[in-house]
Amino acid sequence: MAMLVTRPQPDNEATAALLRAKGVEVLLAPMLRFEPVAFDIDPEVEYGGVIVSSANAFRAMEGKPSLTRLLDLPLFAVGPHTADVAEAFGFRDLVVAEGDAISLRDTIIATVRERNMDRSKPLLWLVGADLARDIATELRGLGYNVVAQTVYKMVPVHSLPDDVCSAFAGSRIDTVMHYSGRSARSFLDAARAAGIEISALAIVHCCISEAVASVVREAGATRVIVARAPSEAAMFEVLDRALGLPS
């Protein structure tokens, strides 16, 4: 039996490699597609720090001259993976949250207080076009100066690859992994369009959070397992327990 990974490229390849190391057959169907958008960071503004809620922000910034002037600033990363990518890009002062927007917001508040950072200097949030949670507005309401700069968008993919449709037709897929509510909705829409919705809802759905799980449950899925924390490591833990995979 096979596992379907709906995570966008290129991160889906890393996930697939980890699963294959456990002896799992993997199929890929990225349900969101990365697209950079044109942007301009004001060269006259002295920022106090950078906020990144997805590693995709660095893909959008790659090769941009404006990236260099940000490298010495504190960088608030949503989780360890994003922090690892930030370090690879040259950021040195990393403050790492626990993988979700609420934790990121609270980590920013705590760090600004602990370091007695100058609140008059804006925090630059490098963000995607579609927000699951607008922490910039929340932080502004608490007196923080946050500038949100859209640097990329994730575009829904409306169809499933032919090999995935064939695998569903042959009842070969028994589990699908969902990393966001938007990608889960895109997967469900694509399965409906391909005429395999019943088969798609009957399998195990492994979700990174309860919010994502609610999307597939509302669609009719009943075999839903949820990571205890919003991280891929936690998804693998729940998969290992539920499916008996080697840890």
mmCIF file of all heavy atoms in Angstrom, residues 168-195:
data_model
loop_
_atom_site.group_PDB
_atom_site.id
_atom_site.type_symbol
_atom_site.label_atom_id
_atom_site.label_comp_id
_atom_site.label_asym_id
_atom_site.label_seq_id
_atom_site.Cartn_x
_atom_site.Cartn_y
_atom_site.Cartn_z
ATOM 1 N N PHE A 168 -5.558 5.358 -6.803
ATOM 2 C CA PHE A 168 -6.857 5.349 -6.127
ATOM 3 C C PHE A 168 -7.799 4.346 -6.782
ATOM 4 O O PHE A 168 -8.511 3.609 -6.103
ATOM 5 C CB PHE A 168 -7.475 6.745 -6.139
ATOM 6 C CG PHE A 168 -7.103 7.601 -4.957
ATOM 7 C CD1 PHE A 168 -6.350 8.750 -5.121
ATOM 8 C CD2 PHE A 168 -7.510 7.253 -3.680
ATOM 9 C CE1 PHE A 168 -5.997 9.530 -4.035
ATOM 10 C CE2 PHE A 168 -7.175 8.028 -2.581
ATOM 11 C CZ PHE A 168 -6.412 9.182 -2.762
ATOM 12 N N ALA A 169 -7.792 4.314 -8.107
ATOM 13 C CA ALA A 169 -8.660 3.372 -8.823
ATOM 14 C C ALA A 169 -8.314 1.926 -8.481
ATOM 15 O O ALA A 169 -9.190 1.061 -8.444
ATOM 16 C CB ALA A 169 -8.548 3.599 -10.330
ATOM 17 N N GLY A 170 -7.043 1.674 -8.212
ATOM 18 C CA GLY A 170 -6.609 0.328 -7.850
ATOM 19 C C GLY A 170 -6.585 0.074 -6.359
ATOM 20 O O GLY A 170 -6.049 -0.960 -5.915
ATOM 21 N N SER A 171 -7.137 1.006 -5.573
ATOM 22 C CA SER A 171 -7.196 0.882 -4.100
ATOM 23 C C SER A 171 -5.817 0.665 -3.490
ATOM 24 O O SER A 171 -5.658 -0.079 -2.518
ATOM 25 C CB SER A 171 -8.134 -0.267 -3.698
ATOM 26 O OG SER A 171 -9.436 -0.053 -4.176
ATOM 27 N N ARG A 172 -4.807 1.343 -4.029
ATOM 28 C CA ARG A 172 -3.430 1.179 -3.550
ATOM 29 C C ARG A 172 -3.034 2.200 -2.495
ATOM 30 O O ARG A 172 -2.071 1.995 -1.756
ATOM 31 C CB ARG A 172 -2.449 1.269 -4.727
ATOM 32 C CG ARG A 172 -2.452 0.042 -5.628
ATOM 33 C CD ARG A 172 -1.462 0.222 -6.778
ATOM 34 N NE ARG A 172 -0.204 0.819 -6.340
ATOM 35 C CZ ARG A 172 0.366 1.883 -6.916
ATOM 36 N NH1 ARG A 172 -0.218 2.472 -7.945
ATOM 37 N NH2 ARG A 172 1.509 2.356 -6.476
ATOM 38 N N ILE A 173 -3.755 3.310 -2.399
ATOM 39 C CA ILE A 173 -3.407 4.355 -1.432
ATOM 40 C C ILE A 173 -4.226 4.149 -0.164
ATOM 41 O O ILE A 173 -5.455 4.037 -0.229
ATOM 42 C CB ILE A 173 -3.668 5.752 -2.018
ATOM 43 C CG1 ILE A 173 -2.782 5.988 -3.246
ATOM 44 C CG2 ILE A 173 -3.418 6.836 -0.967
ATOM 45 C CD1 ILE A 173 -3.053 7.292 -3.967
ATOM 46 N N ASP A 174 -3.534 4.081 0.969
ATOM 47 C CA ASP A 174 -4.272 3.891 2.218
ATOM 48 C C ASP A 174 -4.130 5.056 3.191
ATOM 49 O O ASP A 174 -4.842 5.107 4.197
ATOM 50 C CB ASP A 174 -3.864 2.591 2.909
ATOM 51 C CG ASP A 174 -2.389 2.544 3.273
ATOM 52 O OD1 ASP A 174 -1.670 3.506 2.955
ATOM 53 O OD2 ASP A 174 -1.972 1.546 3.872
ATOM 54 N N THR A 175 -3.243 6.019 2.897
ATOM 55 C CA THR A 175 -3.034 7.152 3.801
ATOM 56 C C THR A 175 -2.652 8.381 2.991
ATOM 57 O O THR A 175 -1.922 8.281 2.009
ATOM 58 C CB THR A 175 -1.893 6.864 4.812
ATOM 59 O OG1 THR A 175 -2.152 5.640 5.481
ATOM 60 C CG2 THR A 175 -1.780 7.988 5.842
ATOM 61 N N VAL A 176 -3.147 9.548 3.425
ATOM 62 C CA VAL A 176 -2.755 10.817 2.808
ATOM 63 C C VAL A 176 -2.335 11.773 3.915
ATOM 64 O O VAL A 176 -2.936 11.795 4.994
ATOM 65 C CB VAL A 176 -3.904 11.412 1.954
ATOM 66 C CG1 VAL A 176 -5.160 11.637 2.773
ATOM 67 C CG2 VAL A 176 -3.469 12.715 1.291
ATOM 68 N N MET A 177 -1.279 12.544 3.664
ATOM 69 C CA MET A 177 -0.760 13.494 4.647
ATOM 70 C C MET A 177 -1.137 14.919 4.245
ATOM 71 O O MET A 177 -0.917 15.331 3.101
ATOM 72 C CB MET A 177 0.756 13.357 4.762
ATOM 73 C CG MET A 177 1.212 11.998 5.258
ATOM 74 S SD MET A 177 3.025 11.840 5.319
ATOM 75 C CE MET A 177 3.402 12.927 6.726
ATOM 76 N N HIS A 178 -1.703 15.660 5.216
ATOM 77 C CA HIS A 178 -2.146 17.040 4.975
ATOM 78 C C HIS A 178 -1.368 18.000 5.873
ATOM 79 O O HIS A 178 -1.344 17.824 7.093
ATOM 80 C CB HIS A 178 -3.632 17.195 5.277
ATOM 81 C CG HIS A 178 -4.528 16.355 4.428
ATOM 82 N ND1 HIS A 178 -4.688 16.577 3.076
ATOM 83 C CD2 HIS A 178 -5.321 15.295 4.740
ATOM 84 C CE1 HIS A 178 -5.548 15.683 2.589
ATOM 85 N NE2 HIS A 178 -5.930 14.904 3.576
ATOM 86 N N TYR A 179 -0.799 19.034 5.248
ATOM 87 C CA TYR A 179 0.033 19.994 5.987
ATOM 88 C C TYR A 179 -0.635 21.348 6.200
ATOM 89 O O TYR A 179 -0.113 22.174 6.945
ATOM 90 C CB TYR A 179 1.364 20.175 5.263
ATOM 91 C CG TYR A 179 2.292 18.998 5.418
ATOM 92 C CD1 TYR A 179 2.086 17.817 4.703
ATOM 93 C CD2 TYR A 179 3.375 19.052 6.294
ATOM 94 C CE1 TYR A 179 2.930 16.732 4.861
ATOM 95 C CE2 TYR A 179 4.226 17.971 6.455
ATOM 96 C CZ TYR A 179 3.989 16.816 5.732
ATOM 97 O OH TYR A 179 4.820 15.730 5.888
ATOM 98 N N SER A 180 -1.745 21.611 5.552
ATOM 99 C CA SER A 180 -2.464 22.874 5.753
ATOM 100 C C SER A 180 -3.911 22.701 5.349
ATOM 101 O O SER A 180 -4.262 21.786 4.586
ATOM 102 C CB SER A 180 -1.832 24.009 4.936
ATOM 103 O OG SER A 180 -2.153 23.873 3.553
ATOM 104 N N GLY A 181 -4.756 23.604 5.873
ATOM 105 C CA GLY A 181 -6.158 23.557 5.506
ATOM 106 C C GLY A 181 -6.383 23.844 4.034
ATOM 107 O O GLY A 181 -7.229 23.221 3.387
ATOM 108 N N ARG A 182 -5.604 24.763 3.464
ATOM 109 C CA ARG A 182 -5.766 25.103 2.051
ATOM 110 C C ARG A 182 -5.396 23.928 1.158
ATOM 111 O O ARG A 182 -6.077 23.642 0.164
ATOM 112 C CB ARG A 182 -4.920 26.316 1.686
ATOM 113 C CG ARG A 182 -5.419 27.626 2.273
ATOM 114 C CD ARG A 182 -4.662 28.801 1.703
ATOM 115 N NE ARG A 182 -4.999 29.018 0.312
ATOM 116 C CZ ARG A 182 -4.115 29.267 -0.646
ATOM 117 N NH1 ARG A 182 -2.822 29.283 -0.372
ATOM 118 N NH2 ARG A 182 -4.515 29.463 -1.883
ATOM 119 N N SER A 183 -4.300 23.247 1.481
ATOM 120 C CA SER A 183 -3.907 22.109 0.640
ATOM 121 C C SER A 183 -4.886 20.952 0.802
ATOM 122 O O SER A 183 -5.157 20.226 -0.160
ATOM 123 C CB SER A 183 -2.484 21.657 0.966
ATOM 124 O OG SER A 183 -2.375 21.168 2.280
ATOM 125 N N ALA A 184 -5.458 20.789 1.998
ATOM 126 C CA ALA A 184 -6.462 19.746 2.199
ATOM 127 C C ALA A 184 -7.712 20.021 1.361
ATOM 128 O O ALA A 184 -8.265 19.115 0.730
ATOM 129 C CB ALA A 184 -6.825 19.638 3.681
ATOM 130 N N ARG A 185 -8.142 21.282 1.348
ATOM 131 C CA ARG A 185 -9.299 21.637 0.519
ATOM 132 C C ARG A 185 -9.001 21.432 -0.959
ATOM 133 O O ARG A 185 -9.860 20.963 -1.722
ATOM 134 C CB ARG A 185 -9.692 23.095 0.773
ATOM 135 C CG ARG A 185 -10.280 23.355 2.152
ATOM 136 C CD ARG A 185 -10.800 24.785 2.282
ATOM 137 N NE ARG A 185 -11.153 25.064 3.658
ATOM 138 C CZ ARG A 185 -10.331 25.633 4.536
ATOM 139 N NH1 ARG A 185 -9.104 25.981 4.157
ATOM 140 N NH2 ARG A 185 -10.729 25.858 5.762
ATOM 141 N N SER A 186 -7.806 21.779 -1.373
ATOM 142 C CA SER A 186 -7.415 21.592 -2.768
ATOM 143 C C SER A 186 -7.430 20.113 -3.136
ATOM 144 O O SER A 186 -7.893 19.728 -4.218
ATOM 145 C CB SER A 186 -6.034 22.198 -3.004
ATOM 146 O OG SER A 186 -5.645 22.089 -4.349
ATOM 147 N N PHE A 187 -6.934 19.274 -2.230
ATOM 148 C CA PHE A 187 -6.946 17.830 -2.470
ATOM 149 C C PHE A 187 -8.371 17.313 -2.604
ATOM 150 O O PHE A 187 -8.683 16.533 -3.531
ATOM 151 C CB PHE A 187 -6.243 17.101 -1.322
ATOM 152 C CG PHE A 187 -6.469 15.618 -1.320
ATOM 153 C CD1 PHE A 187 -5.815 14.800 -2.234
ATOM 154 C CD2 PHE A 187 -7.361 15.044 -0.431
ATOM 155 C CE1 PHE A 187 -6.035 13.429 -2.249
ATOM 156 C CE2 PHE A 187 -7.589 13.673 -0.433
ATOM 157 C CZ PHE A 187 -6.919 12.866 -1.347
ATOM 158 N N LEU A 188 -9.240 17.723 -1.707
ATOM 159 C CA LEU A 188 -10.631 17.263 -1.752
ATOM 160 C C LEU A 188 -11.327 17.717 -3.032
ATOM 161 O O LEU A 188 -12.077 16.951 -3.644
ATOM 162 C CB LEU A 188 -11.380 17.771 -0.518
ATOM 163 C CG LEU A 188 -10.897 17.194 0.822
ATOM 164 C CD1 LEU A 188 -11.481 17.989 1.983
ATOM 165 C CD2 LEU A 188 -11.273 15.717 0.945
ATOM 166 N N ASP A 189 -11.082 18.952 -3.435
ATOM 167 C CA ASP A 189 -11.674 19.464 -4.680
ATOM 168 C C ASP A 189 -11.167 18.675 -5.887
ATOM 169 O O ASP A 189 -11.936 18.331 -6.802
ATOM 170 C CB ASP A 189 -11.354 20.946 -4.860
ATOM 171 C CG ASP A 189 -12.087 21.836 -3.873
ATOM 172 O OD1 ASP A 189 -13.065 21.360 -3.257
ATOM 173 O OD2 ASP A 189 -11.678 23.001 -3.705
ATOM 174 N N ALA A 190 -9.862 18.390 -5.893
ATOM 175 C CA ALA A 190 -9.281 17.651 -7.016
ATOM 176 C C ALA A 190 -9.793 16.220 -7.050
ATOM 177 O O ALA A 190 -10.051 15.662 -8.133
ATOM 178 C CB ALA A 190 -7.759 17.663 -6.909
ATOM 179 N N ALA A 191 -9.960 15.603 -5.879
ATOM 180 C CA ALA A 191 -10.495 14.241 -5.826
ATOM 181 C C ALA A 191 -11.933 14.205 -6.325
ATOM 182 O O ALA A 191 -12.335 13.282 -7.057
ATOM 183 C CB ALA A 191 -10.420 13.716 -4.389
ATOM 184 N N ARG A 192 -12.696 15.227 -5.970
ATOM 185 C CA ARG A 192 -14.086 15.307 -6.443
ATOM 186 C C ARG A 192 -14.123 15.468 -7.955
ATOM 187 O O ARG A 192 -14.917 14.807 -8.650
ATOM 188 C CB ARG A 192 -14.782 16.480 -5.750
ATOM 189 C CG ARG A 192 -16.290 16.545 -5.963
ATOM 190 C CD ARG A 192 -16.894 17.686 -5.155
ATOM 191 N NE ARG A 192 -16.591 17.529 -3.735
ATOM 192 C CZ ARG A 192 -15.832 18.377 -3.035
ATOM 193 N NH1 ARG A 192 -15.290 19.427 -3.635
ATOM 194 N NH2 ARG A 192 -15.628 18.175 -1.762
ATOM 195 N N ALA A 193 -13.254 16.327 -8.485
ATOM 196 C CA ALA A 193 -13.220 16.559 -9.930
ATOM 197 C C ALA A 193 -12.802 15.311 -10.696
ATOM 198 O O ALA A 193 -13.251 15.084 -11.831
ATOM 199 C CB ALA A 193 -12.264 17.710 -10.247
ATOM 200 N N ALA A 194 -11.950 14.488 -10.063
ATOM 201 C CA ALA A 194 -11.479 13.264 -10.716
ATOM 202 C C ALA A 194 -12.446 12.091 -10.535
ATOM 203 O O ALA A 194 -12.210 11.012 -11.090
ATOM 204 C CB ALA A 194 -10.100 12.885 -10.163
ATOM 205 N N GLY A 195 -13.504 12.299 -9.768
ATOM 206 C CA GLY A 195 -14.482 11.240 -9.558
ATOM 207 C C GLY A 195 -14.046 10.169 -8.576
ATOM 208 O O GLY A 195 -14.578 9.054 -8.603
#
